[in-house]
Amino acid sequence: MKDRARPPFFWGLVVMLGIELAAAATLAIVLLIDLVALEPTSIATALALTVLVVIAAGWMAATLVGLLRGQAWVRASAIVWQVLQFAIGLGALEGSFAQPAWGWPIIAVSVITFGLLFVPSVVKATQGRAGSGG
């Protein structure tokens, strides 16, 4: 991958996954601070949510590193994340605690990123394998 120029859509995907990583990491930090500074109604629920968001941030970080190395597995990882993120966005639009101001941007980012994952130049740029010197 070092000898080939990366296409613009590849860098678009890097930016989109970077935005998602920044959002997940920010949320993880906020939840960790809340866990320490506030008294949650349910400590078990607060811990579980915090752990899940920290895992998601780690997942996104690993995916972004893999993308920058041009590895093929990142497409599957990012597709799974986009589906989960889309579901989170839909959930934010519904129910008694609906937050459309959060839901629509989450859905938009998911759809754009999902589309970028299937652009032929991005697929070609991420065909490397873990053991291929990347």
Side-chain angles (χ1 to χ4, degrees):
M1 192 65 215
K2 293 174 185 165
D3 55 332
R4 290 186 279 176
R6 291 178 170 158
F9 285 120
F10 176 90
W11 292 111
L13 181 60
V14 168
V15 168
M16 295 305 287
L17 291 178
I19 290 169
E20 293 173 355
L21 172 58
T26 300
L27 182 56
I29 291 167
V30 168
L31 288 173
L32 286 168
I33 291 169
D34 283 354
L35 192 60
V36 173
L38 303 175
E39 186 175 332
T41 305
S42 168
I43 189 73
T45 301
L47 278 170
L49 181 60
T50 303
V51 167
L52 284 173
V53 173
V54 168
I55 290 169
W59 176 5
M60 291 309 302
T63 301
L64 189 55
V65 168
L67 177 64
L68 291 171
R69 291 180 178 171
Q71 296 177 342
W73 64 265
V74 299
R75 288 192 314 276
S77 176
I79 288 168
V80 170
W81 178 254
Q82 299 320 305
V83 171
L84 292 172
Q85 186 172 271
F86 187 85
I88 291 167
L90 283 180
L93 298 177
E94 302 173 345
S96 58
F97 298 106
Q99 294 291 325
W102 289 96
W104 287 115
I106 292 170
I107 289 171
V109 168
S110 294
V111 169
I112 291 166
T113 306
F114 191 85
L116 286 171
L117 288 163
F118 292 97
V119 172
S121 61
V122 171
V123 173
K124 185 176 180 183
T126 56
Q127 289 181 338
R129 300 289 176 214
S132 64

